[in-house]
Every structure is written in C-alpha cells, then in structure tokens.
C-alpha cells in the first residue's frame, strides 16, 4: 500500500503530496500511472519546490498562466523567477527552509498579482502548503494558485458602482461622506472644500426635458474631472450639486482650482453654441487638525449661494434667451411672428387706454408667449397636415411649459400668468384652464386677436397666407366665441387708424392738436405713441405700424432716411425748441449753466444722450461750455425728458436740463437759465410719413394740418417756435 505523505492543504494539493511521495518509494505501476496524470488534469496552477523554494515541478496550467515551460524553471527559485506582489503592502515573501510552523497553510490572493514571463499582470489567489514525509518532517512546498483577474475586475466594478454616480461617473454622496472622515487625520490638513452648483438646470429640465439636463450634468462632470488631479475627490452630491475635497491644499491652491473651473467652462462655452453653461462656486479651507468638516461644508455652501444670488438673474435670462434662439431654429416663423404681434398689439392697447406699464408688459408677452414651444417635438411643431388628438394635446402643453420657464426667470415671472392663459377663448372652450370672458387677462385677449391675425396673414407650413380683409372677416366671425368682441372692434379700427409716433416732449401739445384734428375730421381715428426719439426710431426699424414720425432731432430721422424708410418728399422741419436749466419751485438753488460746477449742485438730471435728443443737446451744451468733464460725476441719466422733469419736481435731484416746453407745462419747476443759441445744435423737430404706411394720404393730410394756423397756435401756447413761420 502507498504510504500517506502529510500535506496541509486542499485535496488537489494532497494528490501532489502523493505524487512527490511516489518519487521516493516504489509503488504499484497501476497507481503510479494514474497519479502521473493528476497534476496536469486539475484547474489550479501547481508548483512544487524544495525547502529552498527551488522549483521541482510545474504543471501545464501553471505553464499557461505564467508563460514559462517547466523545463525553463526547474532548479530556479520562485523568488528569482516570479515577481509576486501584494498591491497594498508590497512584495509577497515565500517561506524557505523549515522555519515555518508545521501544518500551516499560507494563503494569498486578496490583493496579490503575479507578473508573467512577458510582463503581464495577473491577479492570483492561492496557497502555500507543506509537504511532510512519513517521519513528519518538512521536505518541501506545494504552491497552488489560479487566475482571479476577471473576478477581481467584476468585484471592482461592483464596488465602484456602490460609490459612483451612475450618470456622471463621479463619486457619489455616500463615498464623499465617507471620505470626509479622513479630514481629521494630520496627513490631510490643510483641507479645501469646493461646492459647485449648476445655474439654470431647473429651467432646462422643465423646458427641454431631463435628457438635456442630464447632458449638462455630464458636461460639468467632464469639466470638473479635467480641472482636478486623480487623487482629488470630485463627487456629485445632489441633483445639480457637486463637491470637491482637496487634501493638503492651501487657500491659494483652492482659489486657483476655482479659477481653473471657470476657465474651462469659459472655453467650453466659446466652443459650443448651445445652452450656456454656468456654475456658482464657493469654497472654504480648514487649516487645523480639529477642522469640523460639517462646518466647512456650511461655509463653502454659503459662499456658493452668495455667488448664485449675484448672477442668478443674468444667468436665467441668458438661458431663456438661448431657448428663444432654439425656438427660432425649430420654427422659422417664430422670431418674426413675435415682432409682428408686438407691433399689432401696442396700438390696440393704446386705443383701449392701457397704462404704459401694461403696454410694456404686453410687449414682453408678445415676445415670449410662445417660449413653451421649445419643449414641443419638431414633428408636431412643423407638421404640414392636421394634428391628431394626441398631437394636439401635446402641442397645447406649450402654454404650461412656457409658464414654467417664465416662473423660473425673474425678468419674466410677472408675465407667466399671461403665457399660461394666452390660448383661452372668450366663451370658455380654450385651453389649458377653460376660463372665459373678462376673467381672461386683457393682455391675453389682445394677444389672442393679434396672434390670430398674424397667423392668418403669413405663410405657415400647412397653408398660404390670407389677405388682410379675409383675416379681418375671420376675426369678426370669432368675436364672442374665441375673441373678446370689444378687442376685435378696436383691432379693426386700429388697422385703419392713423398711427403717429412722436417725441415725448411734444406730448401735451400734440394731445391738444389731436382733439382739434378729430373735431375737423370726425371720420378719422388717430393713435399717438410717445417716447424717446431713439426708442421710437428703433421700434419703427423693428416693424412698428407707424404712419407718421415726429422726432426731437435730425439724427433719428436721418437714420430712417438712410434706410429708405421715409416716404419721399414728405419730410419737413416742423417745430423748434430750446434747452433750459430747471429746479424745483421750492428749491433755494440759484445758478446758471456756467455755475453747475459749484458745490451747491450735487445732482444734475439729463436724458440719456444715446436715445434722448434732449440728453444729447445737454451733453453738447456742457461740452461747449467746457464743463462736461467737471460735472460728469454729478449727472443722473433719465430715460426721457419727462423723467428728468419728475426727478426735479419731486426734489430728488437738484437741477435738470430739459426743453423749454417741458418746463412751461409744469407748475412745480422754475427756469434758472436758457442755453445760449450758439452753445448746441438747433433743437429742431422734423416730421415725415413712413414709406410702409397703410394710410399715406391721411398721413400727408395730418402733416399739412400740423403746419396750419389752428395747430400752430396750440404749439406756440406750449412754448414751441414754428419753423418757417411766426
């Protein structure tokens, strides 16, 4: 019988001990033949060594795993042949001699790697077992091991999935929290913490969908990875929040890291024309061993929130503007549509007596009422045929999407309700709420009529434009059903009315002239729009339905003429005015233009020289007198001459520079000085008919009326000088 050789280890290793035993004692041939094939048949790689770790045997599995043939390695020690390391503690030491404790199995493998003949790293797991002879003496070792590379890879993936954010691949909040426990160690300080929050992500999610939002998150993750080293802890800790933990980082190092983030974001935005990427950053640094990480997080979070508050409004508006551009690429009619609707709505609002504030709100609503279309699929938005019920329901969502966008943008929040309700019908069968009558905001009722008219009179993907007369007939059919009947009547009248855009400084005089004109021409309707000459000129360039323009300076009229927007041979010089210095009647200030440099005058109100002729004349005057640079710091810029007048009347400003006509109509101001005639350009009011006017003959007749006796007497009463006459 075969005597047992004692081998501490697995069954396969016991087989090997018997094999070794067979090398020392003669055994039956049958058993010897069977045992000879055992080492090459098992799945483990096997090495047999003597007490000095010299290799006596290697099976075929070991040959395949290590890249060596048995003939190459016999007599070579394991240490000479293989580099076997523990990836956490270093090189693995193999026992030699008989110093090891008997019957001990030395296991390795949790972090062990073996480098093959060709330098390939292979993760291995195995054991080193003793070979004992009949006398219980240690005579050698059996090393059994197998390839764990794939299993280790799966383990890493599994482990990684527990500490990684699925979307971005960054560390997750759980791992970040665990890492913060290292902060208390001496090796960690100083420790820096950066908090990072994506600006405007909610708007993107609510309008473009979560796929677009996820894309932004992934881009930010990419930029953060690029901005830091591999050993830095970069984590996504919330929906739109990221945190970066930096060990052994000074205040300047953390500050520089924030600059790297901003630089990389700026480079991304420069290279990508889509949604603008913006983040708010805040950081804190702990220098002491006793640093409380929770307080460090609070401090960094507060600093980040301060930055977010400072740039929130501009960032949200930037996102909204980008969304508007995206609408323009999705729907070729939208941009022009918004401008045309704005120009249709304003004169109706004037006719209905809406306040200036309401008109401004209405214009904003006209511009942004369709912003929710950015969330509607192109296949529906641009479909050439009739929409299915499902598609119609999807299209109708643009009102609610638009409301969500507006609510998220501070500049648009006050029109969010209008955006939501701009498709409600007068009889209550509209959407999305089904409200009716005067419960629908007046702005929405005006928009509904103007929007429908523009849609009918311009080409759409599914039909050609209607004639204006046919469109008006359709509006009248819808009055009392879809549209407010009063608005339809006013809209129809507006299209036939004479629309006069005039400088704010002629407002009071022109309102008197209007009454005289209507008295002489009862069949006419006259709509007046007042504002700064530069502002009105821009509106006309943008398509405002102006028939006649009265400017307070030649420059604005010249610009329209250069663009061939004036009807030939209709431009004349109508009025003249004069620049004066005013103060409140209750003011003790006594000065003239030359003495504005004195300390008694702290603030001087003037119109904006860029858009208000009175402001430009004031600037010319001060420069002509050689005092502009001296008084420049005292200037308070107003949007028009009427605002200058209001500043002085309420004694919020010491003095103001306005037209003589403005000073004459106010009972609360006094004129301190009149500008020398040679000190600035002549204050002339030109008037002309617009080339695109739908009321050319009526416009010409109106200008003729302005030059006749009745109108001239009114203008004189308000302080104007009539050009070309007394």
């Amino acid at each position: 019988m075969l005597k047992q050789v004692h081998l501490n280890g697995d069954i396969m290793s016991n087989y090997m001990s018997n094999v070794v035993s067979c090398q020392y004692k003669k055994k039956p041939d049958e058993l010897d033949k069977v045992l000879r094939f055992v080492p090459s048949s098992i799945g483990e790689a096997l090495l047999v060594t003597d007490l000095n770790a010299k290799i006596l045997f290697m099976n075929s599995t070991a040959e395949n795993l290590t890249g060596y043939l048995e003939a190459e390695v016999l007599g070579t020690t394991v240490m000479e042949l293989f580099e076997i390391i523990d990836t956490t503690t270093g090189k693995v030491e193999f026992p030699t001699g008989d110093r090891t404790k008997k019957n001990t199995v030395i296991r390795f493998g949790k972090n062990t790697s073996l480098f093959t003949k060709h330098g390939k790293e292979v993760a291995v797991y195995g054991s080193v077992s003793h070979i004992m002879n009949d006398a219980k003496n240690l005579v050698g070792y059996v090393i059994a091991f197998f390839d764990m590379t794939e299993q280790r890879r799966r383990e890493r993936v599994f482990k990684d999935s527990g500490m990684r954010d699925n979307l971005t691949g960054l560390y997750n909040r759980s791992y970040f929290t665990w890492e913060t426990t290292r902060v208390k160690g001496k090796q960690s300080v100083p420790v820096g913490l950066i908090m990072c929050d994506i600006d405007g992500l909610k708007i993107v999610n609510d309008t473009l969908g979560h796929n677009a939002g996820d894309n932004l998150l992934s881009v930010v993750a990419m930029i953060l990875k690029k901005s830091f080293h591999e050993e830095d802890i970069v984590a996504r800790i919330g929906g739109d929040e990221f945190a970066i933990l930096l060990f052994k980082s000074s205040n300047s190092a953390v500050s520089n890291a924030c600059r790297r983030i901003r630089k990389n974001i700026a480079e991304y935005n420069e290279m990508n024309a889509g949604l603008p990427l913006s983040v708010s950053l805040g950081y804190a640094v702990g220098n002491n061993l006793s640093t409380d990480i929770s307080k460090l997080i609070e401090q960094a979070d507060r600093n980040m929130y301060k930055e977010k508050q400072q740039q929130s409004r501009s960032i949200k508006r930037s996102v909204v503007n980008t969304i508007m551009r995206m609408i323009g690429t999705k729907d070729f009619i939208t941009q022009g549509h918004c401008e045309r609707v704005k120009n249709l709505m304003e004169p109706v609002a004037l006719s209905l007596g809406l306040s200036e504030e309401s008109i401004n709100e209405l214009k904003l609503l006209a511009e942004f009422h369709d912003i929710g279309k950015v969330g509607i699929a192109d296949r529906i938005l641009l479909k050439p045929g009739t929409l299915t019920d499902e598609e119609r329901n999807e299209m109708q969502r643009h009102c609610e999407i638009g409301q969500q966008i507006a609510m998220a943008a501070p500049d648009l929040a006050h029109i969010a309700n209008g955006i939501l309700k701009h498709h409600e019908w007068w009889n209550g069968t509209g959407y999305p709420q089904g409200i009716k009558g005067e419960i629908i905001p007046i702005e929405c009722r005006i928009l509904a009529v103007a929007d429908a008219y523009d849609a009918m009179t311009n080409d759409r993907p599914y039909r050609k434009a209607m004639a204006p007369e046919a469109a008006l007939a359709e509006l009248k059919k819808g009055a009392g059903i879809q549209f407010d009947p009063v608005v339809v009547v006013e809209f129809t009248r507006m299209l036939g009315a004479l629309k006069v855009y005039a400088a704010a400084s002629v407002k009071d005089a022109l309102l008197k002239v209007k009454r005289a004109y209507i008295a002489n021409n009862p069949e006419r309707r006259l709509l007046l729009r007042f504002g700064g000459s530069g502002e009105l000129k821009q509106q006309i360039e943008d398509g405002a339905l102006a028939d006649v323009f009265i400017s307070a300076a030649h420059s604005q009229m010249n610009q329209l003429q250069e663009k061939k927007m004036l009807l030939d041979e209709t431009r004349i010089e109508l009025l003249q005015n004069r620049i004066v210095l005013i103060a409140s009647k209750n003011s003790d200030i006594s000065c003239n233009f030359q003495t504005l440099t004195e300390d008694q005058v702290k603030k001087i109100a003037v119109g904006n020289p860029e858009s208000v002729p009175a402001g430009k004349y004031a600037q010319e005057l001060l420069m002509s007198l050689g005092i502009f640079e001296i008084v420049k710091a005292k200037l308070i810029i107003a949007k028009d001459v009427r605002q200058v007048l209001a500043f002085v009347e309420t004694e919020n400003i010491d003095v103001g520079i306005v037209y003589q006509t403005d000073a004459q109509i106010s009972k609360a101001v006094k004129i301190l000085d009149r500008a020398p005639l040679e000190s600035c350009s002549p204050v002339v009011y030109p008037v002309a008919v617009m080339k695109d006017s739908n009321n050319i003959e009526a416009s010409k007749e109106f200008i003729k009326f302005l030059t006749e006796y009745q109108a001239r007497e009114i203008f004189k009463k308000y302080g104007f000088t009539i050009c070309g006459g007394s």
Side-chain angles (χ1 to χ4, degrees), residues 359-402:
I359 291 174
N360 289 334
E361 186 173 312
L362 192 61
K363 287 157 66 175
L364 200 62
L365 181 61
E367 184 177 354
F368 289 100
H369 69 282
D370 273 337
I371 194 171
K373 284 186 178 179
V374 74
I376 306 302
D378 287 356
R379 61 179 176 80
I380 297 174
L381 198 62
L382 301 177
K383 185 176 180 180
T386 305
L387 299 180
T388 65
D389 289 344
E390 183 180 349
E391 289 169 339
R392 190 175 296 106
N393 289 336
E394 179 66 18
M395 175 66 92
Q396 290 177 359
R397 287 186 58 245
H398 82 272
C399 297
E400 292 154 302
I401 295 172

Side-chain angles (χ1 to χ4, degrees), residues 206-207 368-375 397-408 412 415-417 419-420 422:
D206 289 346
T207 57
F368 289 100
H369 69 282
D370 273 337
I371 194 171
K373 284 186 178 179
V374 74
R397 287 186 58 245
H398 82 272
C399 297
E400 292 154 302
I401 295 172
Q403 182 199 32
Q404 291 173 343
I405 298 173
M407 289 296 292
L412 302 180
I415 63 166
N417 187 50
I419 291 174
L420 176 67
H422 78 273

Side-chain angles (χ1 to χ4, degrees), residues 79-365:
M79 291 78 76
E80 291 172 335
L81 192 64
F82 302 118
E83 183 182 3
I84 303 178
I85 63 169
D86 186 303
T87 56
T88 57
T89 61
K91 201 166 184 177
V92 174
E93 294 292 333
F94 280 91
T96 56
D98 57 359
R99 297 186 301 277
T100 58
K101 188 177 180 180
K102 292 181 180 181
N103 298 325
T104 296
V105 177
I106 302 172
R107 300 193 181 279
F108 59 88
K110 184 177 181 181
N111 301 293
T112 306
S113 290
L114 175 150
F115 289 87
T116 69
K117 177 181 179 180
H118 305 293
K120 179 183 177 183
E121 183 179 355
V122 179
V124 295
Y125 180 85
S127 61
V128 180
S129 302
H130 293 166
I131 300 175
M132 313 295 293
N133 62 16
D134 289 340
K136 307 298 183 182
N137 294 321
L138 181 63
V139 295
Y141 299 96
V142 174
I143 305 171
F145 55 95
F146 53 90
D147 187 350
M148 289 283 289
T149 303
E150 179 59 24
Q151 184 173 335
R152 290 260 184 89
R153 186 193 68 79
R154 289 197 299 268
E155 286 175 356
R156 280 197 300 270
V157 170
F158 180 75
K159 179 184 177 183
D160 217 29
S161 67
M163 63 183 186
R164 294 281 180 181
D165 174 59
N166 290 334
L167 175 64
T168 64
L170 299 179
Y171 292 118
N172 59 22
R173 187 181 188 91
S174 297
Y175 184 81
F176 175 79
T177 302
W178 178 79
E179 276 288 350
T180 59
T181 61
R182 295 171 52 196
V183 171
K184 293 183 179 180
K186 182 177 180 181
Q187 73 280 5
S188 300
V189 294
V191 61
L193 179 70
I194 300 173
M195 300 298 287
C196 173
D197 188 283
I198 301 180
D199 300 318
L201 184 63
K202 185 178 186 303
I203 302 178
V204 174
N205 283 332
D206 289 346
T207 57
L208 303 180
H210 286 273
N211 286 341
D214 288 349
N215 183 58
L216 274 187
L217 287 165
S218 298
V219 169
V220 171
M222 174 193 72
I223 288 172
L224 292 179
K225 286 177 185 175
K226 177 182 176 182
S227 303
F228 293 94
H229 303 297
E230 189 174 343
E231 63 268 20
D232 299 327
I233 309 301
V234 182
R236 181 187 175 200
I237 61 172
D240 56 1
E241 286 186 308
F242 298 82
I244 302 96
L245 197 59
L246 306 169
F247 297 119
K248 296 183 179 178
S249 295
S250 65
N251 191 83
S252 62
V254 179
S255 178
N256 287 336
C258 290
R259 278 195 285 272
R260 282 199 307 274
I261 296 173
R262 292 191 175 96
K263 177 177 176 290
N264 290 332
I265 286 175
E267 289 176 353
Y268 171 83
N269 285 334
E270 189 174 335
M271 299 295 293
N272 295 271
L275 284 169
L277 182 61
S278 173
V279 299
S280 295
L281 299 173
Y283 72 90
V285 177
N287 295 301
N288 302 320
L289 296 179
S290 59
T291 294
D292 185 335
I293 189 62
S294 62
K295 291 184 178 178
L296 208 61
I297 292 173
E298 287 177 10
Q299 183 183 346
D301 209 44
R302 280 196 304 271
N303 293 336
M304 182 269 292
Y305 184 73
K306 286 178 186 175
E307 181 172 299
K308 197 172 191 70
Q309 288 293 95
Q310 291 172 357
Q311 61 189 26
S312 174
R313 181 179 293 270
S314 62
I315 290 301
K316 287 179 178 178
R317 187 59 191 260
S318 177
V319 171
V320 169
N321 287 340
T322 301
I323 289 173
M324 286 301 293
R325 288 197 300 273
M326 294 175 70
I327 293 175
T329 61
K330 294 182 73 171
D331 183 351
F332 68 91
I333 64 165
T334 301
Q335 291 278 348
H337 171 67
C338 291
E339 285 300 321
R340 292 191 301 270
V341 169
K342 186 191 302 185
N343 292 326
L344 288 169
M345 292 170 68
E346 186 173 359
V348 178
L350 285 168
S351 179
L352 289 170
L354 268 65
S355 67
E356 190 70 22
E357 182 180 352
S358 295
I359 291 174
N360 289 334
E361 186 173 312
L362 192 61
K363 287 157 66 175
L364 200 62
L365 181 61

Side-chain angles (χ1 to χ4, degrees), residues 435-703:
I435 58 177
K436 65 180 181 178
E438 293 186 357
I439 297 174
I440 304 169
I442 182 61
E443 293 84 3
C444 295
R445 286 179 269 151
I446 296 173
L447 174 61
V449 173
D451 192 37
Y453 180 83
D454 183 75
M456 288 187 283
T457 54
N458 286 276
D459 289 339
R460 288 296 175 98
Y462 48 87
R463 59 151 178 79
K464 291 294 183 180
M466 287 176 137
E469 297 77 12
L472 283 175
E474 289 297 319
L475 290 179
K476 290 173 183 177
K477 284 182 187 177
I481 301 171
Q482 182 176 355
F483 309 116
D484 179 345
V486 173
V487 174
V488 171
V489 170
E490 288 299 322
F491 185 84
T492 305
R493 288 177 178 173
M494 177 276 299
L495 290 178
L498 188 62
K499 294 168 281 293
V500 179
Y501 278 46
S505 52
V506 299
K507 180 176 181 179
D508 295 279
L510 201 57
L511 287 172
K512 286 276 189 179
V513 171
K514 175 184 176 180
R515 285 195 282 272
Y517 176 77
I518 296 299
N520 289 313
N521 301 275
E523 76 286 359
R524 298 283 189 199
R525 282 183 58 82
L526 189 60
L527 293 178
L528 303 180
R529 176 74 171 105
F530 299 102
S533 296
E535 175 192 355
L536 297 176
K537 185 268 303 181
Q538 187 61 54
Q539 290 175 10
I540 292 170
E541 288 181 342
D542 291 339
L545 303 178
D547 296 305
V548 175
F549 179 40
I550 303 174
S551 175
H554 281 299
S555 59
Q556 286 77 20
M557 196 69 82
N558 289 343
Q559 290 172 44
L560 293 178
Q561 189 159 13
E562 288 170 4
K563 295 184 178 181
K564 302 186 182 305
M565 300 185 74
L566 306 185
L567 187 64
D568 291 342
E569 300 181 357
T570 61
R571 175 177 174 173
I572 64 171
E573 292 185 353
L574 179 65
L575 305 169
Q576 282 188 323
N577 211 336
R578 197 167 177 183
I579 294 295
V580 297
L581 181 65
I582 61 170
S584 167
K585 278 194 174 179
N586 299 322
S587 173
D588 294 330
I589 289 178
S590 177
C591 67
N592 55 39
F593 284 110
Q594 288 285 7
T595 57
L596 288 176
T597 57
E598 295 179 359
D599 291 341
Q600 65 167 327
V601 178
K602 307 295 184 187
K603 296 179 181 179
I604 307 167
V606 297
N608 186 344
E610 297 295 323
S611 58
V612 181
K616 184 171 179 58
Y617 290 131
Q619 184 177 357
E620 280 185 23
L621 169 65
L622 298 174
M623 293 178 73
S624 173
L625 297 175
I627 62 172
F628 178 74
E629 292 299 328
I630 302 173
V631 301
K632 189 176 180 180
K634 299 182 179 183
L635 298 181
I636 304 299
I637 306 301
K639 66 178 183 179
D640 55 36
V641 288
R642 291 310 170 95
Q643 191 173 54
V644 175
L645 203 62
F647 284 161
V648 177
E649 287 174 338
T650 55
E651 299 185 62
N652 289 316
I653 304 293
D654 299 321
V655 296
I657 302 176
V658 298
Y659 294 122
Q660 178 174 281
T661 51
D662 294 299
Q664 283 190 204
I665 64 171
S666 174
K667 296 179 180 179
V669 302
K670 59 186 177 183
I671 296 176
L672 300 178
D673 194 13
R674 287 176 172 80
L677 292 176
E678 70 281 359
S679 62
C680 61
S681 303
V683 182
V684 176
Y685 290 70
V687 61
V689 178
M690 298 300 101
K691 187 176 181 180
D692 291 335
S693 169
N694 293 323
N695 301 286
I696 289 177
E697 291 307 315
S699 299
K700 288 180 178 179
E701 289 177 11
F702 178 70
I703 290 179

